[in-house]
Amino acid sequence: MRPLDRKLLRDLWRIKGQAIAIGAVIAVGVLLLVMMTGLVTSLDETRRTYYERYRLADVFAPLTRAPDRVMTELAAIPGVAAAEGRVAGGALIDLPGADLPLQAQAVSLPDFGAPRVNDVYLTDGRRLDPDRADEILLLTSFARAQGLRPGDTLSATMKGARRTFRVVGLAQSPEFLYTTPPGELAPDDARFGVIWMSRTALAAAYDMEGAFNEALLSLGPRANAAAVRAAVDRLLAPYGGQGAYGLEDHVSNRFVSEEIAGLRTTTTVVPPIFLAVAAFLLTIVISRMVQAEREQIGLLKAFGYSNLAVTVHYFKMILAIATAGALAGCLLGVAAGRSMVEFYLTFFKFPFLVFQTDPAAFVLGVLVSVLAASAGGLVVLRGVFALTPATAMRPPTPPNYARAGRIAAGLGAWLDQPSRMVLRRITRQPGRMAGAVVGIAAGLALCAGLLSILDSFNRVMDITFDLADRSDVTVTFVEAQGDKTILELQRLPGVIAVEPMRVVPAVLRHGLNTYRGAVHGLVGAPRLNRALDQDSRPIRLREEGVILAVALADILEIAPGDALTVDVREGRQPLLDLPVIGIAETLVGAPAYMEIGALNRALREPHRVSGAVLRIDTASGPAIYRTLKDMPAVAGVSLKAQARDAVQSLIDSGAGAQRFVMAGLAFVITFGVVYNAARIAQAERTRDIASLRVLGFTRGEAAFVLLGELAVVTLAALPLGLALGALLATGLAEGFSTDLYQIPALYSARACGVAVLAVLTAALASGWLVKRDLDRVDLVSALKTRE
């Protein structure tokens, strides 16, 4: 082994604590990059493969009723590769021991053979026997949540009639990757299921013999999707067509796409921040390490080593630390990505999901780490190489303490000698101190910003389920009912208050922007289900216009005073032009609100309701649920407590779960930054501290000279770190927000306090480790420095 290589090994062992800390910081940044880019790749590729393999439709066209012969005309539309007509409708599943009816979607399958579009993946049991009208396939996630298996029986109400079915198989479908109870946004496997039946059996249940109420179309590679949808709408208009829409507006696919898009946005924002902090820290550390070995570099040059040989030697050290940290980050990123995949397998109903790494993430992580370290080394080495060996071996010119001396003289009455030494150290090298301050501030900002995001998610839950929704139960009807139904609900024993609502599906347009959603009709001064302004105060709904959620306003690029086009997709399907009169700070979903009377008048359907929210006496709950279960007009009943649990699970899974991972990693970076600052200061001043000991300073006084510097730098970093944390919290809130939920940019005092406490704890721990090493220093060895 060559001498320089032996020196390299000795140097790495000597600074092993710093090397490990630097490597950990690098590993954290690379870990996030590898994990998050891999998750985006895995979800996107798995979704694409699943859709292709099971032939998910490109166009969905719900309608009231059309004869089967119309499918021939739909299949003949230019660009259509395959077409399938089916029967679909809502159902209520009644399980023994369950007070609440469980909501389900019933979907038909061809009597013979696999469907040309929207096939199913059988996970257990067998397919349907067309000769047995009572056989069904059940959504796997629902069956497992309820403990159902092939061979079990269940009762379900379809179009007012209760029927008994036998489960013969469990299935999944790309159409139902994301399943939510009607009227809710969060999935709940135990409260919503999908039933597949043979076409003949389901058509008989819904009076659809020889007809269908939903058309599915698959398009060719060169098809004009907009032209196909327009042609479908023209053909189905006489049959109550509700407007064809593409895969991008399909409920399940939209939520999956939103999750992937949110994850992709987070990937482009968060890992670069971590890598930038790691690169900055690495540059400072390497620069100061090389500067501290100035005399050794001069000695090597005096022995005949060329500038190139010395450069290669130090670059080997840089590469060893940076590459080890980057490789560790790659391995940990793969492990973390594989564990995160389990979240998504539960969150989305993929039959398989294998974590796929993105090679570009490995390359980028290693390159950024190595290049950042190399840049720091080059800056200092260039200045050292310009010196002759004799000059390089000589200690640097003593700094000018004149300015510091004047400051110290002014504070002499309050500062003792060790304190004045700390002050001189800080004032003589302001650039170096500023670098340490910025490094610690960056770590503090990461902690504060990510902890604020945790508080922001909690704020979403509080506003949505404590301030906006103050009901206990939400009841939805099969179709819009007369308002006398509200009187029937009010007469139920145990019902304290009832508020009607009307939810109308519609396509909302403003300029070139469209959104397929719904208009929510509420009473003028709601008390149970309220729209809130940005100050969390209830908004009184006026009769002359519509109020949009802030997320919907952003999507449509619309502001109060603008006109909103509402293309209603039920009943007479009128086209309404309504003024926007306000913006609501709705954090879950993207609804539009309107006074229910004004909405009914615009639809020319007075005194109609599609649901109600109830405040009930908890003790009367089971009796109320049983009564609602037997009401034929009721399509579903959901409890706010269950909906809250589902939303909490939603934001704690998928991309939301990564906030916990990143918060933990931010603490690792914070400790690494502070620890390195302390270790570098120790390496630079070991000889000075030994000299003070020889001159008669106690161990405590000598350690104070070093640790006082760390304390001043840490305290100076706190206000800067908190300011940077506020900016980071705002950016992270935007990155985490999706159509599903919007995260407010909440910069809480609790998050700031915890982040400051973390930095101070890291500083105390680092100071203790440094002082322990200082107490063990051999004074004679420390003073034997070649000059």
Side-chain angles (χ1 to χ4, degrees), residues 215-235:
L216 308 174
L217 286 76
S218 178
L219 303 183
R222 298 182 179 178
N224 186 326
V228 171
R229 291 196 298 269
V232 171
D233 288 341
R234 287 193 299 271
L235 283 173

Side-chain angles (χ1 to χ4, degrees), residues 90-93 101-104 157 181-182 191-192 474-479 481 610-611 628-629 631-638:
L92 291 179
I93 297 176
L102 304 175
Q103 302 177 72
T157 301
R191 295 191 298 120
F192 181 76
T474 300
V475 180
T476 56
F477 302 137
V478 176
E479 57 186 15
Q481 305 288 314
S610 61
L628 293 174
K629 185 190 298 186
M631 294 177 66
V634 172
V637 179
S638 64

Side-chain angles (χ1 to χ4, degrees), residues 14 18 292 425 678-694 702 705-706 770 773-785:
R14 175 172 52 84
Q18 283 178 267
R425 168 76 173 179
R679 283 299 186 188
I680 291 169
Q682 177 193 359
E684 293 176 340
R685 306 203 65 189
T686 299
R687 184 169 179 272
D688 296 341
I689 300 300
S691 300
L692 293 176
R693 291 288 312 283
V694 171
V705 174
L706 177 62
V770 169
D773 290 348
L774 286 176
D775 292 342
R776 297 175 180 176
V777 168
D778 184 350
L779 300 182
V780 176
S781 299
L783 292 172
K784 284 184 178 180
T785 301

Side-chain angles (χ1 to χ4, degrees), residues 68 84-85 87 108-115 127-133 135 197-204 210:
D68 286 339
E84 183 99 33
V87 177
S108 71
L109 291 174
D111 291 340
F112 300 98
R127 287 186 175 265
L128 302 172
D129 183 347
D131 296 328
R132 301 292 302 271
E135 291 187 352
M197 295 176 60
S198 67
R199 171 71 181 274
T200 299
L202 192 59

